[in-house]
Amino acid sequence: MAMIARRGLLAGAALLGAVRAAGAGWEPSQRVPDPAVEVLDPAFAKYRLVSATVERVATGLRWAEGPVWFGDMGALLFSNVVNDRIMRWDEASGALTVFRKPSSYANGNTRDRQGRLVTCQHKTRSVTRTEHDGSITTLLDRFDGKPLNAPNDVVCHSDGAIWFTDPTFGPNPHESMASPELPGNVYRIDPATGQASLAVAGLAGPNGLAFSPDESKLYVIEACAKPNRLIRVYDMVENGTKTANGRVFFDAGTGTPDGFRVDVDGNLWCGWGMSETEDGVLVLSPQAKPIGRIRLPERCANLCFGGLNRNLLLMTASHAVYALYVNTRGAGTC
């Protein structure tokens, strides 16, 4: 069924029309409903706000990644990886400013249970926490006596634990990635002891990760799986401290899922791309069925839910950040 659905998505390329423009030539739709927001299955119709259109809220970036919403600031923080910066976009004013430079080539970001920024850094091969006073604490930079590779994406559990992926994407001087010394793994940092444990071992390029709304499942993108990228799912066991029963949730085919978030109904909103027919966001139901698509003029690397009601989908792409109000909210608080 998934293969049939993907063929349907490719056939939908004929619907691109005005949403196919690229780069500087892109313009927001003047029509509602926005043709860039496609209902692939009736289950998605309730999530599309007919009056909402895709907006480009920031541009001039070099590989935007790791978006995280700070509601107390009314702002989005995200990584501008190749430019070695963390950026801040203010929703009220629309201002785009530099939050931190240099950023040690930051990639993934999240917030912990105390509202502090947690960041994956390529250059230092570490996961760090920005304290409320602005100082930076290294949470982890080594495992089993070896330096981490280049931590990629990070999420927090309701128990306060930090979970992150550490793929073997290096060496890549463009993003300050060193040669890997460890296999591609997913790690858990215990909130009480600060010690790390191996949560998922030996994945081919573990990338984006997210918990289901009830935290009974962990989803992980395996970016270097052959022949296609995969989204894997694991059951959370032992009071949410370990994983078991890993299996394929979705075979991406020609698509390239990267980072993603889960809404309160358990749908996966996945950054997607690498071709004009697939660039943007693909929405998967909890049953792994493609139900919706948001077409963008460039590849979407990652996304998060923000805004006052956590229903503003903020999408970081190759050179820009896009926004779309939707009729659902992001799951969790970080």
Side-chain angles (χ1 to χ4, degrees):
M1 292 298 294
M3 181 61 72
I4 293 173
R6 284 194 295 276
R7 288 172 181 165
L9 299 185
L10 293 175
L15 301 176
L16 285 176
V19 304
R20 192 175 177 179
W26 183 84
E27 293 291 341
S29 175
Q30 301 303 307
R31 296 175 48 225
V32 292
D34 190 335
V37 184
E38 297 182 9
V39 176
L40 305 178
D41 183 272
F44 184 70
K46 66 179 181 179
Y47 300 117
R48 182 180 66 168
L49 292 173
V50 174
S51 60
T53 60
V54 177
E55 304 169 60
R56 185 162 61 190
V57 299
T59 190
L61 308 168
R62 289 194 178 105
W63 197 244
E65 252 282 12
V68 56
W69 180 253
F70 276 69
D72 45 352
M73 299 192 307
L76 176 76
L77 299 184
F78 65 93
S79 297
N80 189 2
V81 182
V82 178
N83 282 339
D84 193 18
R85 301 173 181 174
I86 295 177
M87 307 298 292
R88 170 175 169 162
W89 173 75
D90 287 282
E91 182 183 19
S93 67
L96 181 67
T97 56
V98 175
F99 177 81
R100 177 180 299 154
K101 179 177 175 63
S103 68
S104 292
Y105 289 84
N107 193 330
N109 297 285
T110 192
R111 294 188 83 177
D112 70 7
R113 307 308 291 187
Q114 288 73 48
R116 297 169 295 190
L117 176 67
V118 178
T119 301
C120 293
Q121 298 180 175
H122 290 173
K123 187 174 183 178
T124 58
R125 305 171 78 161
S126 65
V127 178
T128 67
R129 182 178 66 218
T130 302
E131 309 296 346
H132 292 302
D133 64 4
S135 61
I136 299 175
T137 300
T138 297
L139 299 179
L140 193 74
D141 60 4
R142 303 181 72 83
F143 187 78
D144 276 352
K146 296 180 180 179
L148 299 175
N149 301 323
N152 185 280
D153 206 358
V154 59
V155 293
C156 62
H157 191 275
S158 62
D159 66 5
I162 302 297
W163 293 62
F164 71 95
T165 55
D166 188 36
T168 55
F169 292 162
N172 177 1
H174 198 49
E175 297 181 27
S176 195
M177 293 182 190
S179 297
E181 297 185 39
L182 289 163
N185 296 323
V186 179
Y187 297 97
R188 174 185 183 269
I189 303 176
D190 187 87
T193 67
Q195 298 299 306
S197 59
L198 192 57
V200 182
L203 290 179
N207 201 327
L209 75 170
F211 294 113
S212 62
D214 62 1
E215 296 184 329
S216 65
K217 296 181 176 63
L218 173 72
Y219 299 97
V220 182
I221 290 173
E222 190 172 22
C224 299
K226 301 296 182 183
N228 305 321
R229 288 195 182 202
L230 302 173
I231 301 177
R232 294 190 174 274
V233 62
Y234 301 83
D235 296 326
M236 297 287 288
V237 297
E238 298 189 28
N239 295 318
T241 62
K242 296 183 179 180
T243 64
N245 192 29
R247 57 211 182 267
V248 173
F249 175 77
F250 188 77
D251 184 326
T254 59
T256 56
D258 194 335
F260 62 104
R261 290 293 184 270
V262 178
D263 68 20
V264 292
D265 292 333
N267 301 300
L268 279 67
W269 298 67
C270 308
W272 215 266
M274 294 296 274
S275 72
E276 285 189 352
T277 58
E278 298 192 12
D279 284 348
V281 173
L282 181 67
V283 185
L284 303 172
S285 74
Q287 294 74 41
K289 183 176 184 179
I291 60 173
R293 183 181 284 284
I294 302 163
R295 296 198 179 272
L296 299 177
E298 53 187 319
R299 176 180 174 178
C300 178
N302 213 330
L303 51 83
C304 73
F305 291 89
L308 183 62
N309 297 309
R310 293 186 62 81
N311 70 329
L312 178 62
L313 188 69
L314 293 154
M315 301 162 276
T316 51
S318 303
H319 301 289
V321 178
Y322 298 85
L324 174 71
Y325 281 101
V326 294
N327 194 30
T328 187
R329 296 178 292 109
T333 58
C334 50

